[in-house]
Amino acid sequence: MARPRKPLLSRDRIVGAASALVDAEGLDAVSTRRLAAELGVSGPSLYNHFRNKDEILDAVADAVSAKVDLSMFDASDPRDWRTALHDWAVSYRAALTEHPNVVPVLARGPGRRPAGLKVADAVFGAMVRAGWPPVRATHIGALMRYFITGSALGSFAGGFVDDETAYDPSDYPHLGQAHLLAERQEKIDEGAFETGLRALLDGLTAQYEAGARAERARTAPADGS
């Protein structure tokens, strides 16, 4: 009987194996030697698809970016710019929280990654189309990336131990309930994200409305008619 053929090595197989390693063990776990062993191939065969480890990690990061919903930025989508930013931010954070170990790569920006560049293009284009000046649209894209990736880099609630004795009231009079934070991690972190996102969007909305008022005043007839 003929021996079953091994699946052909491909970029997708390499990225899938690297993604699994990053999720399970972190960025430092990825090496061409380790990946070759996981895939059952020789190390040099990986170089037919990627030049080095950094390119592999870029592809892993881009696979995460590709999961982010961008439909709200389509010109045909009825959502206004504020709702679109909110819904996109929620989708973006959800993708990152599924793969937190790759967030440091994403936080460096899109570089040459196609999916990452599509995200940047969609956000910028939608903000300009909504009436934001290009420089402000750039600021908004940067601001949103700082906020979303920062929220996914680590858990605030998870940073507190669940040992009540760690919070001596004589030293920390206001942390009497801090030992409960870890067990409520997801709810607290999601609440914090939504609180921050609403505050951020409220501030942007105030700027947008002030800019619209200033533009109306600038273009109004001198006689007020």
Side-chain angles (χ1 to χ4, degrees), residues 8 15 29 34 45 51 97 107 135 144 164 175 184 186:
L8 292 175
V15 171
R34 177 77 181 275
S45 64
R51 289 182 297 179
T97 53
V135 67
M144 296 300 289
E164 189 173 2
L175 297 182
R184 302 171 185 174
E186 184 175 353

Side-chain angles (χ1 to χ4, degrees), residues 17-30 34 53 56-62 64-65 67 92-108 113 148-155 185:
S19 296
L21 276 178
V22 172
D23 286 345
E25 301 179 34
L27 295 170
D28 290 340
V30 178
R34 177 77 181 275
K53 171 183 172 176
I56 295 171
L57 292 179
D58 265 351
V60 170
D62 215 35
V64 175
S65 294
K67 297 180 179 181
Y92 196 177
R93 180 176 180 270
L96 298 190
T97 53
E98 286 184 6
H99 307 280
N101 290 337
V102 82
V103 172
V105 179
L106 287 162
R108 296 199 293 261
R113 299 192 296 270
I148 298 165
T149 57
S151 74
L153 278 172
S155 165
Q185 176 177 327

